[in-house]
Amino acid sequence: MVGRPQDGKPDSFAERHKSESQRRDSFPQGSDQLLLDFLPTPAPLGGGLAPHFLGKTSMDSGATFAALLLALQLVLLPATTRGKELILGVTGENAALPCKATKKESMDFSWKQPDQTILLRGFRKGSPSKVLGTTKKKDRVDSLTNQWEGGSFPLIIKKLEISDSGTYFCEVENRKQEVQLLVFKVTATPSDYVISGTNVTLTLHGSSNLPAFKVEWRGPGDKSKQILNQDKKTLNLVKMGPNETGLWDCIVSVSEKTLKLGIKVTAFGFTKSSQTFYTMVGKAVRFSFPLNLNDQELNREQPNGELRWNMEGTASPQVVKFSWKSDSLTRETDAPPFNRDPKFPLTITLSSVSPSHAGSGVFLLQFSSGTVEQKVNLVVMTAMSRESPHHELCCEVLGPIIPGLLLTWIRENQTEKEGPVSEKQRELKVKEPKSGTWECQLLFQNKKQLKSDSFKLTAKQEWNLPFHLGIGLGAGASLLLLSGLCIFFCARRRHRLRRAERMSQIRRLLSEKKTCQCPHRF
């Protein structure tokens, strides 16, 4: 017999075992086996001993129940939920939320939202194998049935939206698996396709209750024109140009997971703010105006063009207008000598350049969203060989003077003379050049831009002014002196002959005793 407790109530093993069974029945279904596995195995009842897990007969029954309940919670908690899985997604793309069972076999499962609304259910047997819920996402959710046999039951959410961010639960094997989905997107304001010089703002969008995260922006162009807000969700691109055109990446890091979002931003315009073209007098020149747009984009925009050209020595610019026809610019106004090159959509040609064509201008393209322009310079060079008054070679630069221009005369691949080009010094001359092959070159920052035709000088064309001048003067003086001496001696001889003739006539007259009364005698 077993003694009674002080409260007077029976304390038999059968009664207490019955009480424990009732408490066990009060737990959720399916927890019986877990409880039995956790509790120690009772000792045999032989010898009239109570089970060893009951301890002393004076143990309070309430304390026993509390201890069992705590043990049950510790056992069931790991089996009911797993650690939260984090998935990062981009709007418009698909996301796969993972759910895996401990066994690699197909089994029943379900995906739910936090409010227990069912998104999708899958069944190991039966038809259909999956049933969609009645949520707004029903047309965008699915699961990969070909992975079920491997114990994987992912939830596929198509065409992600920012509102899809949140927590999702997968229930399989009497366990809940929690998955957190965060959806992001990047936008460009006012647009991702703007005219050059426009301010563009890139913004990262996500749900309002985002956890702590880091943001990094990467893109082309000048870093000094990129202004990042304090929260790093917004990047301001100041006066965006063609150099900033391209793919911009926004890298988001959350809980050691990284997501890269990309957006292509195009600031269409000329690839260079200004261009300088070089040509010789009499040659042709082709002006090209490259844009960072392809042919399809140009045909879609169909811009109109205008060239305002200032020739040297003219007060008002010459205006040539173009319209977009047949996939290229077509000249509207009759303003020769500028013509359109039919092979290239944005090309203007001058067939034969004269010195008066040298100058500068502005080429404009007018789009529906604005106008882009590019400054154009035309530098013309002329080279010649002059014979009068003295033989010399002369090379001259016409048009705008750009710092860094250099003229040089080359003879037989050797530099004979060179000089920088300035407003006051546009020519480079070589006086009395030596024999050989000469050519004039125009360099910009030590890079050859133009070279003239060759001038071949023979030995007869060589000139040494001091030497030849001395010879000429000496020969002339000698000839003049010789002529003077000849004239002097000839005149003296003639005078002597005439005197001798008169003396002879006088002697003859005296011998004849005749006296001449003529005046010439005296």
Side-chain angles (χ1 to χ4, degrees), residues 13-25 61 65:
F13 172 77
E15 291 175 347
R16 297 186 65 181
H17 181 73
K18 180 179 180 181
S19 176
E20 295 296 338
S21 299
Q22 291 175 352
R23 294 189 187 100
R24 191 166 60 242
D25 293 339
S61 60
F65 175 73

Side-chain angles (χ1 to χ4, degrees), residues 20-181:
E20 295 296 338
S21 299
Q22 291 175 352
R23 294 189 187 100
R24 191 166 60 242
D25 293 339
S26 65
F27 292 111
Q29 185 177 2
S31 61
D32 303 65
Q33 185 60 42
L34 291 172
L35 178 60
L36 293 176
D37 292 341
F38 175 77
L39 294 175
T41 305
L45 297 179
L49 297 176
H52 73 277
F53 67 84
L54 292 177
K56 297 181 180 180
T57 56
S58 62
M59 180 183 293
D60 182 76
S61 60
T64 304
F65 175 73
L68 292 175
L69 180 59
L70 178 60
L72 179 62
Q73 291 176 345
L74 293 175
V75 172
L76 293 181
L77 183 60
T80 303
T81 60
R82 295 178 58 185
K84 183 187 296 186
E85 183 83 14
L86 178 62
I87 300 297
L88 306 180
V90 182
T91 56
E93 299 183 1
N94 299 341
L97 278 57
C99 178
K100 292 185 178 181
T102 57
K103 299 179 181 180
K104 293 186 177 181
E105 62 182 39
S106 180
M107 58 186 68
D108 297 347
F109 70 94
S110 63
W111 278 97
K112 297 180 180 180
Q113 296 184 152
D115 59 359
Q116 298 302 307
T117 303
I118 295 177
L119 293 170
L120 182 143
R121 274 185 174 176
F123 303 99
R124 181 173 61 89
K125 295 180 180 180
S127 181
S129 60
K130 56 186 175 183
V131 176
L132 301 177
T134 58
T135 64
K136 295 180 180 180
K137 300 183 183 71
K138 66 178 182 178
D139 296 329
R140 297 189 294 116
V141 296
D142 200 355
S143 185
L144 302 177
T145 56
N146 58 350
Q147 296 185 12
W148 291 6
E149 292 296 333
S152 178
F153 313 98
L155 176 67
I156 307 299
I157 303 179
K158 306 174 183 177
K159 298 179 181 179
L160 288 172
E161 301 174 359
I162 294 291
S163 58
D164 295 334
S165 297
T167 303
Y168 297 82
F169 295 95
C170 174
E171 296 182 357
V172 63
E173 291 182 322
N174 293 325
R175 297 186 304 166
K176 279 188 177 181
Q177 300 181 29
E178 184 178 355
V179 180
Q180 184 179 17
L181 174 64

